[in-house]
Amino acid sequence: MLDDKAVRAIREDFPILDQQLHGKPLVYLDNAATTQVPRCVVEEIARHYATDNANVHRSVHTLSSRSTKGLENARETVRRYIGAASTREIVFTSGTTASINLLASMWAARLRPGDVVAVSALEHHSSLVPWQQACARTGASFEVVPLDAKGDVDLAALEKLLARGNVSLLSIAHASNVLGTVSPIKEICNLCHRYGTVVSVDAAQSTRHETIDVCELDCDFVSFSGHKMCGPTGIGVLYGKAELLESLGPVMFGGEMVDKVRFGESTFEDIPIRFEPGTPNYVGAIALARAIDYLEDVGRESISVYEHFLVGEVEKGLKEIEGVRILGAPVMRAGCVSFSAEGLHPFDIASFVDKKGVAIRSGNQCAQPLLNEVYDDGSICRISPAFYNTQGEIEECLAIVDEVIGFLRRIG
Ligand code: PLP
């Protein structure tokens, strides 16, 4: 596990952390929304624009070749990071939301009335609404797999649904951005495959602190975002098994993704370029690859163990604050802990906590169905540490949350 000295050294890589907010040192604990970016990633973006920038895949000149090489090397870095069999399986998108929308639009072409698309009850809107809309367009049914009392996906209910034999696809988060539930993706993929159901994994929350080996887990599709793993915004990935991607037709058209274009008809490139029309965010992809190198330098296992430890500390500390309700108690929790305090608005808690220099999230966390229809708790606060947070910061945050809750109760 990362020790104090290692974490202090890591913090030096993140210039943004070294600042005061409202006269207090910044404590950034909203990493489930966006992680901070290490200096090497910022420098890589500047370096590319300063020395190598040109459009990719289009020209023979040297700068274009450098940019293209950077983009394709980035594809290889992503492939290696998630254990994919081939770079042909790595589609660059603008983020998880774009990846799942792309997949849902393509998958819709094969949905018919009588087919089912299932999502778990803990999905982020991005892993739910695109499928709900695909079903509405095609006449397929949209089904929700419930959670058990602890906030884990109810696998018995999932199997019962799968046994109907008409579930085309399951959309499921690897790690929940609200409950922190880490779902047993390998078991879920095995179960789904037994019934001929394809699995789309939303890995937005898990790529930093869980190891994702798509071959070992046997995922069919995986989506994630650069900005939740120390990369820049505006870049993400849709991984798909080659044979599945090959079976899908493009839904966005334009430059580069075509093979032959005639006035009468067009043919399309091979995967993955077929799904990357127009100028891709090649600088974002190159910077994402740098972020991956950085995470690997810190050590994926060390990050995972340390972040699990910090989340445990958050949970333990929140339990000691009177009147705090922690959402869920899943078998395995990672990344974040969400809570509410009876009679108090999360917006007020997070606003007063911010005045003490501590950034935590409040709101519906883009999971309205989970909060309104499962937990009856429309809005919550969320604390989500990353590997550059210290144990001292967690203690400070918890003390401030305690103090703010006490203060808000007193002023009524
Ligand atoms: N899925 C989950 C579980 C998330 O937590 C998020 C973002 O918070 C998303 C999807 C959407 O990611 P993005 O906004 O990067 O597209």
Side-chain angles (χ1 to χ4, degrees), residues 146 151 250 272 308:
H308 278 268

Side-chain angles (χ1 to χ4, degrees), residues 32-34 94-100 122-127 173-178 202-206 223-228 234-235 361 365-366 382:
T34 290
S94 64
T96 308
T97 304
S99 297
I100 300 174
L122 54 65
E123 297 309 305
H124 185 282
H125 296 161
S126 294
S127 174
H174 188 194
S176 158
N177 63 311
V178 178
D202 172 355
Q205 286 299 331
S206 57
S223 301
F224 54 96
S225 302
H227 71 98
K228 293 189 196 284
I235 187 74
R361 175 84 188 262
Q365 330 290 1
C366 295
R382 179 182 69 190

Side-chain angles (χ1 to χ4, degrees), residues 82-83 186 190 211-219:
I82 63 169
K186 187 170 180 175
N190 284 342
T211 298
I212 297 186
D213 183 319
V214 293
C215 288
E216 138 81 6
L217 298 176
D218 202 16
C219 311

